[in-house]
Amino acid sequence: MVLSKRITSLTGGGSDGWDVFLKARRMIADGTPVTELTIGEHDIRTAAPILQAMHNSAMDGHTGYAMVPGTDALRDLVAKRTQDRTGVPTTRDNVLITPGGQSALFGAHAAACDPGDTALYIDPYYATYPGTIRGVSAIPRSIATRAEDAFQPRASDIEAAAKGAASLLINSPNNPTGTVYSRATLSGIAEVCRRHDMWLISDEVYDSQVWEGEHLSPRALPGMVDRTLVVGSMSKSHAMTGSRCGWLIGPSEAISNLITFATHTTYGVPGFVQDASVFALAQGDRFEAEVGAPFQRRRAIAQDVLEQQNTVGLIPAQGAMYLMLDIRATGMTGDAFADALLEREHIAVMPGESFGSSAAGHLRVAMTIEDSAFKSALETLCAFARTCAASAT
Ligand code: PLP
């Protein structure tokens, strides 16, 4: 039987840049110890009290079909969290609960784009972005950024691609770069969106992990509330990646249509997961800060290690759980360096090329292992880079 082009061409063909990751997984399965700095997942598990709340809810019988848009309690809390953080009036009518941020990204593009529409996104990018756009039969078009701008997008580059585009997807704090978009960057982006009547899809799943500066949601900028769809999630802020609970915030008309979309696709999120999320959100900002604290600590460790040498450059990482390292001084591509580092030192990092061409010659390091092992892995990486640079000259 013939499968649809939509499903068979989701990844766009060719290598998806995850070869090093898969090789590391194979080495681990074969018994070789590998230091894994690839995946954006905490080294802690979901906190026991949250699991207890999930258990209690399930035992109380919340195991049937849940409300498709989300329970009133969870939608109200998400609306409150959003309003408290952004100052933008937000009610449950602006909130759809989704199975994770990924499902919210899909829904947002389904709402913003018709088949054949152009959907813009910023390079480097979170790995699923182009496939998510193809998943709604829109055409992904990337906008390059530059290492020398710390990967902050330039409004002029977006302007050059904006004519006729239906949407622009941005992500701050950013995976893979750790960049937090400045007010100037976001104001420039908002202006282009208004001028070209584009939807702005703002992926803010790392909003509670900001180590320098402040997180600004572009929905709060003038003239943006009616054209911005915000993606949020419990995954990163509350170490609940496996629970699959996220949300979309947007104008009530968009949310009302997205509820119909959810009815015909996901049919909502389990009630016991939603109840656990209510419990988790009720713990407030302090809990979210505790979940993020290890990344802030390890970022400081990395800054110390990298200051001791001058082969590997650190892109100023202001947020999220990643570092972007510049290894261009070795003369190697990110792919070649990551492969050699895995072979020789048994350390797995993601080549920048896995996230688009703007991050070529870079590595993404996930700060997701215990502090002393993290420090030692970075020291080894820097020493290895020095050897590579020396043999290149
Ligand atoms: N957006 C970004 C930038 C991410 O890094 C991730 C996960 O790594 C997601 C969205 C999806 O997260 P989830 O579906 O677990 O909420």
Side-chain angles (χ1 to χ4, degrees):
M1 287 301 293
V2 179
L3 289 163
S4 75
K5 287 192 191 63
R6 185 190 309 109
I7 209 95
T8 52
S9 59
L10 214 59
T11 59
S15 160
D16 60 5
W18 286 69
D19 300 349
V20 173
F21 170 75
L22 297 172
K23 190 167 169 180
R25 285 285 149 111
R26 276 198 303 275
M27 285 168 70
I28 293 167
D30 292 345
T32 309
V34 172
T35 305
E36 264 268 45
L37 301 170
T38 50
I39 284 289
E41 183 149 40
H42 319 69
D43 47 325
I44 53 166
R45 297 279 75 107
T46 304
I50 299 176
L51 297 177
Q52 190 62 53
M54 200 179 294
H55 175 81
N56 292 348
S57 168
M59 294 306 281
D60 285 348
H62 296 181
T63 53
Y65 292 122
M67 300 278 286
V68 172
T71 63
D72 288 349
L74 183 55
R75 292 173 84 198
D76 286 348
L77 257 185
V78 170
K80 181 176 174 340
R81 181 183 186 272
T82 304
Q83 182 168 315
D84 289 351
R85 288 174 178 228
T86 63
V88 183
T90 307
T91 70
R92 78 169 71 134
D93 292 340
N94 303 114
V95 179
L96 168 69
I97 303 300
T98 60
Q102 182 56 47
S103 172
L105 283 164
F106 185 69
H109 283 94
C113 302
D114 275 318
D117 279 351
T118 297
L120 306 176
Y121 64 106
I122 309 293
D123 177 339
Y125 53 87
Y126 172 53
T128 67
Y129 282 179
T132 303
I133 292 168
R134 290 189 196 99
V136 302
S137 297
I139 299 165
R141 177 167 177 192
S142 66
I143 294 165
T145 55
R146 300 162 181 81
E148 63 265 30
D149 296 342
F151 298 110
Q152 298 261 351
R154 292 186 189 175
S156 54
D157 291 335
I158 301 171
E159 173 68 39
K163 193 157 180 257
S167 63
L168 167 65
L169 169 59
I170 61 170
N171 169 222
S172 175
N174 187 268
N175 175 11
T177 61
T179 303
V180 175
Y181 289 3
S182 67
R183 181 174 286 271
T185 295
L186 289 166
S187 297
I189 288 172
E191 205 180 308
V192 178
C193 287
R194 287 192 301 265
R195 191 161 40 245
H196 291 273
D197 202 18
M198 272 193 306
W199 281 100
L200 181 61
I201 300 172
S202 181
D203 180 343
E204 302 180 20
V205 301
Y206 295 99
D207 67 349
S208 62
Q209 297 179 359
V210 177
W211 321 132
E212 234 177 66
E214 50 157 0
H215 170 68
L216 172 66
S217 175
R219 180 169 174 260
L221 292 173
M224 292 307 289
V225 73
D226 289 333
R227 62 171 69 254
T228 305
L229 297 167
V230 176
V231 172
S233 174
M234 299 298 289
S235 288
K236 313 292 179 177
S237 53
H238 292 78
M240 290 178 68
T241 50
S243 293
R244 312 310 302 133
C245 189
W247 54 83
L248 251 180
I249 312 279
S252 55
E253 192 200 345
I255 294 299
S256 153
N257 281 277
L258 278 155
I259 292 169
T260 308
F261 186 70
T263 303
H264 296 86
T265 51
T266 62
Y267 215 82
V269 173
F272 49 90
V273 170
Q274 296 196 57
D275 287 347
S277 299
V278 167
F279 173 86
L281 283 173
Q283 305 312 300
D285 292 352
R286 211 154 118 215
F287 181 80
E288 299 190 37
E290 270 169 36
V291 170
F295 308 124
Q296 183 165 25
R297 216 170 50 229
R298 291 169 198 157
R299 169 181 174 269
I301 291 172
Q303 284 171 326
D304 277 354
V305 171
L306 286 150
E307 258 170 30
Q308 318 290 322
Q309 53 83 61
N310 51 21
T311 312
V312 179
L314 174 63
I315 303 294
Q318 300 140 315
M321 45 175 86
Y322 313 98
L323 299 175
M324 190 57 99
L325 303 183
D326 182 349
I327 48 99
R328 286 177 291 181
T330 64
M332 297 166 82
T333 63
D335 275 319
F337 186 94
D339 189 58
L341 185 71
L342 179 60
E343 282 286 331
R344 311 263 175 80
E345 305 290 349
H346 298 174
I347 296 173
V349 297
M350 293 298 291
E353 289 85 350
S354 315
F355 308 99
S357 52
S358 298
H362 290 73
L363 305 172
R364 189 194 75 173
V365 174
M367 301 186 279
T368 48
I369 59 171
E370 175 276 316
D371 295 14
S372 62
F374 179 68
K375 179 164 188 267
S376 145
L378 275 186
E379 285 166 348
T380 306
L381 186 154
C382 290
F384 183 69
R386 252 192 323 275
T387 316
C388 296
S391 59
T393 50

